[in-house]
Amino acid sequence: MSISVPQQPGFADGFRMLLGAAGNGALLAELLGVKPSQVTRWKQGAQLPSAESARSIMDFAYIIARAESTMHTKVVPIWLDSPNQFLRGATPRECIKLGRVAEVIGAIDAEDEGAYA
């Protein structure tokens, strides 16, 4: 299946990576907090994401790439939804949705360095 991703800087690569990591559009929609039909329209190039959705896609893609560079790929989805001591008990997914991307990157770095909260 060919994916006609809208041309928006940083969006296309992040979208493809997240879609591959999620496995399907429904899981990606759940990850981003949008309807599956929205992801389908993006895949078909029928609609551009909102600025907020595009930012979320790029943030998630960057964080997943960073996390996969320090942990096993199969652990990353579990890590995203697990309370994290470096994030004061919040999950990385919650923090990303709230725009606390820098804190999540800090948590990845701390885990990579072997720090304990």
Side-chain angles (χ1 to χ4, degrees):
M1 170 190 225
S2 176
I3 298 174
S4 175
V5 180
Q7 296 302 312
Q8 213 171 9
F11 173 77
D13 292 337
F15 181 78
R16 285 188 188 98
M17 192 274 281
L18 280 179
L19 188 58
N24 65 52
L27 290 175
L28 179 57
E30 183 181 331
L31 176 72
L32 296 171
V34 298
K35 294 181 181 182
S37 59
Q38 188 68 53
V39 173
T40 300
R41 286 192 293 277
W42 296 339
K43 280 176 26 179
Q44 295 169 343
Q47 188 175 40
L48 291 173
S50 67
E52 180 181 346
S53 292
R55 187 172 40 258
S56 291
I57 288 166
M58 290 184 286
D59 288 347
F60 268 114
Y62 179 73
I63 286 172
I64 288 173
R66 284 286 298 266
E68 287 180 346
S69 73
T70 62
M71 7 178 144
H72 192 281
T73 304
K74 292 184 179 185
V75 173
V76 174
I78 297 165
W79 175 82
L80 277 171
D81 289 316
S82 298
N84 189 295
Q85 293 179 355
F86 297 109
L87 301 172
R88 298 180 298 277
T91 68
R93 182 193 311 260
E94 292 168 340
C95 290
I96 296 165
K97 286 184 178 181
L98 293 172
R100 295 168 45 194
V101 175
E103 290 179 58
V104 176
I105 293 167
I108 294 169
D109 290 344
E111 289 187 30
D112 187 35
E113 294 169 2
Y116 295 95

